[in-house]
Amino acid sequence: DLRMSRGLGDVYKRQEEKDKVLNYILVVANGKRTAKLNYKDIPDLRISKEQYEIVLEEFKNRRFIDYKGYGIEYLTLNFEIFNFAEKGGFTVERDLYILSFDTFQMQLERLEKELSPDTAAKVDDVVGKAKNITELLIGLSALAEKMNL
């Protein structure tokens, strides 16, 4: 559906912009645990100042950085940021999530073929009503428990 593909496109772009901020922080830090960061200095960044601040808050919540300031931020980098960047950053995290979801979907389709038509219809109903992966897993778990699967 068009909304979903547009939403996925937004997710792709957002992860790439987060990686630009992540990589710029590491360049500015140049192997040190501190960096001085200015939104305007990050090359080719295609997010607003407000979105940039949200990205920094996410980095802080994920324990990548601590920071002070607004406009020019003074960062203290934590080990997690180096580890995360080494693993490929946000775009790799996103791609792994999508790959896991695709694998999960293939397993569901295979399972659906093995189920009775009545059970397959119940699984389809749960999948159709789920708004996110958490709701899907909760719904499928409840269905499996109810049906003693």
Side-chain angles (χ1 to χ4, degrees):
D1 130 292
L2 184 58
R3 283 180 310 174
M4 186 151 189
S5 66
R6 207 177 275 152
L8 284 175
D10 291 345
V11 168
Y12 273 59
K13 289 176 197 165
R14 208 167 32 246
Q15 303 310 69
E16 290 166 2
E17 297 306 306
K18 286 181 187 178
D19 274 342
K20 285 180 188 176
V21 175
L22 173 75
N23 292 326
Y24 190 75
I25 289 171
L26 296 174
V27 166
V28 170
N30 195 24
K32 298 178 184 144
R33 290 214 42 228
T34 59
K36 181 178 162 185
L37 194 65
N38 188 337
Y39 165 77
K40 295 182 276 184
D41 293 338
I42 303 172
D44 302 318
L45 191 62
R46 293 188 199 109
I47 57 175
S48 69
K49 175 80 167 133
E50 291 76 23
Q51 291 168 318
Y52 161 78
E53 292 294 334
I54 292 168
V55 169
L56 288 183
E57 275 301 308
E58 180 182 344
F59 285 17
K60 186 176 181 179
N61 292 339
R62 290 181 80 156
R63 295 188 176 93
F64 292 167
I65 61 169
D66 289 313
Y67 74 95
K68 295 177 187 165
Y70 183 80
I72 296 176
E73 286 79 23
Y74 296 90
L75 311 178
T76 302
L77 284 62
N78 298 320
F79 174 74
E80 288 84 355
I81 196 170
F82 299 104
N83 191 22
F84 187 73
E86 206 172 89
K87 290 179 180 176
F90 289 97
T91 51
V92 170
E93 181 182 66
R94 174 206 62 213
D95 293 345
L96 288 173
Y97 176 79
I98 290 170
L99 180 64
S100 296
F101 189 77
D102 289 346
T103 302
F104 180 64
Q105 184 177 5
M106 286 181 357
Q107 290 173 337
L108 268 178
E109 288 169 0
R110 190 182 74 223
L111 178 63
E112 198 172 46
K113 290 176 186 173
E114 298 171 6
L115 298 174
S116 70
D118 182 53
T119 304
K122 290 178 182 174
V123 169
D124 280 343
D125 186 53
V126 169
V127 171
K129 289 180 180 175
K131 292 182 182 82
N132 55 49
I133 192 73
T134 304
E135 285 185 13
L136 178 62
L137 293 174
I138 290 169
L140 290 174
S141 295
L143 180 62
E145 195 174 297
K146 191 180 199 180
M147 300 180 75
N148 295 319
L149 294 177

